[in-house]
Amino acid sequence: MSIKSHLNGRILAKALVIFCLLSLLPTTTRAQKFALVDMEYVLKNIPAYERANEQLNQISKKWQAEVEALNTEASTMYKNYQNEVVFLSQEQKKTKQEQIMQKEKEASELKKKYFGPEGELFKKRESLMTPIQEEVYNTVKEISDLRGYSLVLDRASDTAIIFGSPKIDISNEVLEKLGYSK
């Protein structure tokens, strides 16, 4: 066997392997189906979600007012201290400073308790929103399984979707399945 025929055989074998791989690619790509859902739109059309948001806003405003009241109290104490400082003994100055710092610390701790990463607002948001979000997720999953979607993207998120055909948007279908017709 000559070197030329050996090389031709190897090239032919490689070409055959590449051809087989390339012929499989369009089949797998065609088999995948995609859909879009606008989660912002879906959630805005669920009354329970809107009520939960309103409830969270009210609680947040109430707690913010409590924190601001303590900060105002600390600020007032400090202004009074500045006005009286010339008349106070060292012991009285120290006591007033400690009281002011204690009030500022109370405000800071209350703010952390309400608005910290694991604070009351976070816990309240989780308890109100998680059941709604899980229901929407399960509905999207159910529709995806039924229609054979391999991937569902959220149109409302920052995923850099440049264009999405309205034909593959299942937002209204999700709302209908949840019982909120649009």
Side-chain angles (χ1 to χ4, degrees):
M1 176 183 227
S2 73
I3 295 177
K4 188 176 180 181
S5 63
H6 182 68
L7 286 176
N8 284 340
R10 289 184 81 188
I11 292 172
L12 185 60
K14 284 182 183 180
L16 187 59
V17 169
I18 291 172
F19 175 74
C20 288
L21 289 175
L22 289 176
S23 66
L24 291 175
L25 283 178
T27 308
T28 17
T29 307
R30 272 186 265 139
Q32 294 179 356
K33 291 173 66 177
F34 305 98
L36 297 175
V37 66
D38 188 334
M39 289 301 290
E40 189 176 303
Y41 169 77
V42 169
L43 292 172
K44 279 184 179 178
N45 283 284
I46 298 176
Y49 188 81
E50 290 298 308
R51 285 191 302 272
N53 257 337
E54 185 56 36
Q55 188 177 352
L56 288 171
N57 286 338
Q58 294 302 320
I59 290 170
S60 179
K61 286 177 187 175
K62 176 182 173 250
W63 290 343
Q64 186 63 38
E66 288 179 35
V67 171
E68 286 174 8
L70 284 177
N71 280 327
T72 301
E73 197 175 328
S75 180
T76 302
M77 289 170 71
Y78 180 71
K79 286 176 187 173
N80 290 341
Y81 168 77
Q82 284 182 319
N83 291 335
E84 301 169 343
V85 73
V86 292
F87 304 111
L88 299 175
S89 68
Q90 283 302 110
E91 184 67 29
Q92 290 172 323
K93 286 179 187 179
K94 185 179 177 189
T95 302
K96 294 266 185 190
Q97 289 170 353
E98 287 172 358
Q99 289 172 342
I100 293 167
M101 289 190 317
Q102 181 59 36
K103 192 58 71 174
E104 289 172 341
K105 184 178 176 186
E106 282 178 45
S108 177
E109 287 173 355
L110 189 62
K111 183 177 182 177
K112 183 180 176 184
K113 175 187 170 191
Y114 287 152
F115 303 107
E118 296 293 321
E120 296 298 317
L121 187 63
F122 173 81
K123 291 174 187 172
K124 190 70 172 169
R125 177 174 281 116
E126 261 196 349
S127 72
L128 291 172
M129 299 299 193
T130 300
I132 298 167
Q133 291 169 335
E134 283 178 359
E135 184 181 16
V136 171
Y137 169 79
N138 290 333
T139 302
V140 169
K141 185 175 180 334
E142 190 178 317
I143 292 169
S144 296
D145 291 344
L146 181 70
R147 304 241 189 272
Y149 297 131
S150 302
L151 178 69
V152 177
L153 298 170
D154 181 5
R155 173 176 269 185
S157 70
D158 297 333
T159 56
I161 296 174
I162 296 171
F163 172 76
S165 172
K167 293 176 186 175
I168 63 171
D169 191 328
I170 61 169
S171 302
N172 285 325
E173 187 176 353
V174 170
L175 283 171
E176 286 173 25
K177 200 154 191 75
L178 288 168
Y180 306 103
S181 296
K182 267 290 166 182

